[in-house]
Amino acid sequence: MPHSKIFKNLVQHSRSTTTPSTTPSRRTRKTLIAAVGIGMAFALSGCNEDTGTGTDKDTGAAESKAPSAGSSQSSAPASPSDDQPLFTGWQTQSSQKHHFRYDVPGKAEKWKTLDKETALSYTDKNGQPIVVMTAAGNYREGGCASSPNPKAVGEAGKGQLATVGTTGGGKDGTLQENARNWAGNWGFAAYGGPDHKPKIKVSEPKPWKHGGIEGYTATAQVTVTNRPSSCVPPKAVVHSIAQKLPDGTMHGWVIYADQGVPKALTDTQITKVMSTVRSTGS
């Protein structure tokens, strides 16, 4: 997300249910297509930028359990040095800006990668982005098109059951705080926003050492409070991975996924995607 302003205390640092609030950030991205108006300002925390000077701070079946820091111990091989996927038939997505590379399953499994510069966002009442991600991908886009945030426009709310992408670019807060904030912020914005606040529990951050990344991971468990139709999931899960670059900027990888609906990603599937997250090495 943005670069000039970071907002404090969107996600409380306890294990209890949280209902964040935020203030709008300034828009800089020209390719923003997935805006979701959330009707009122609320206070963002974390390095959630895409609103500053040139560097993006993109600041979201069976219910899944959070992959632990040990989820790096999967069947995925060690980080390669190029854009080749770690699993046969998968698609690779990368962000040089945020120094993340990751893979998602192929098109036959209903995954789609978006143009690296396409920004997915949730906005404030003035249409300004408050959380943004780029180098994104969607799972089962175009399905049952209903959103727990009724002001969904653009790419959001079109029925995708999961979204993954990269965010960050600022220096505020600690790496642990940003890991928690990215998980909580995306869960809050994607599954209700301030008009229909979801209930969120955010885990304590855990070390993440895998694929050339030494950072932290956190998980948000979301209970959706606004379900205008059966298309809206009763629950969701958000996972973040945060890393700090030598210049002091912090960058995040985020996946947020519907739970408790047909064809929702399982814990095993989410863990496998997370196992492919690696540094771009540049």
Side-chain angles (χ1 to χ4, degrees):
M1 320 261 355
H3 206 96
S4 53
K5 256 186 168 177
I6 302 299
F7 305 101
K8 306 299 180 183
N9 302 322
L10 174 56
V11 178
Q12 299 174 8
H13 291 264
S14 69
R15 293 181 179 272
S16 62
T17 298
T18 61
T19 50
S21 65
T22 118
T23 82
S25 59
R26 293 174 295 123
R27 178 176 184 174
T28 57
R29 269 222 160 283
K30 294 182 180 179
T31 55
L32 183 66
I33 64 166
V36 176
I38 51 181
M40 63 183 287
F42 55 94
L44 268 184
S45 64
C47 296
N48 296 323
E49 297 191 6
D50 201 346
T51 65
T53 62
T55 313
D56 250 17
K57 277 185 188 179
D58 314 309
T59 314
E63 185 175 351
S64 73
K65 296 179 181 178
S68 68
S71 63
S72 58
Q73 301 172 357
S74 75
S75 57
S79 175
S81 59
D82 54 24
D83 285 338
Q84 296 303 307
L86 303 186
F87 296 107
T88 301
W90 283 38
Q91 309 169 77
T92 298
Q93 178 66 287
S94 62
S95 171
Q96 292 294 333
K97 174 168 49 184
H98 296 305
H99 294 253
F100 282 103
R101 181 172 288 134
Y102 67 94
D103 305 326
V104 295
K107 295 179 181 178
E109 296 183 57
K110 307 300 182 182
W111 279 89
K112 172 176 129 178
T113 57
L114 306 180
D115 183 275
K116 292 180 178 62
E117 296 306 313
T118 295
L120 280 69
S121 176
Y122 289 84
T123 66
D124 63 22
K125 63 181 179 180
N126 297 315
Q128 303 304 303
I130 55 171
V131 290
V132 185
M133 64 168 56
T134 52
N138 284 330
Y139 169 62
R140 288 194 170 271
E141 183 180 284
C144 194
S146 181
S147 171
N149 187 330
K151 297 179 181 177
V153 297
E155 192 77 8
K158 287 188 174 179
Q160 57 263 44
L161 297 185
T163 297
V164 58
T166 61
T167 188
K171 297 182 178 181
D172 290 10
T174 67
L175 196 56
Q176 295 94 318
E177 288 170 343
N178 278 283
R180 295 197 73 234
N181 291 337
W182 280 320
N185 291 355
W186 279 96
F188 178 73
Y191 293 99
D195 288 347
H196 300 282
K197 296 179 182 179
K199 297 178 180 179
I200 302 176
K201 292 183 179 180
V202 184
S203 72
E204 292 301 320
K206 296 180 179 179
W208 179 275
K209 295 184 180 181
H210 178 66
I213 295 170
E214 291 194 13
Y216 284 86
T217 183
T219 300
Q221 299 289 348
V222 183
T223 300
V224 180
T225 60
N226 178 48
R227 298 190 67 207
S229 81
S230 60
C231 293
V232 176
K235 293 182 182 295
V237 65
V238 188
H239 300 289
S240 67
I241 299 171
Q243 66 173 329
K244 188 174 185 178
L245 301 184
D247 65 0
T249 59
M250 287 169 277
H251 301 261
W253 180 95
V254 176
I255 182 170
Y256 58 97
D258 295 2
Q259 298 290 277
V261 292
K263 302 187 184 302
L265 292 178
T266 65
D267 173 57
T268 298
Q269 290 171 312
I270 293 172
T271 299
K272 190 171 181 178
V273 171
M274 291 183 74
S275 76
T276 70
V277 179
R278 55 206 186 267
S279 171
T280 57
S282 61

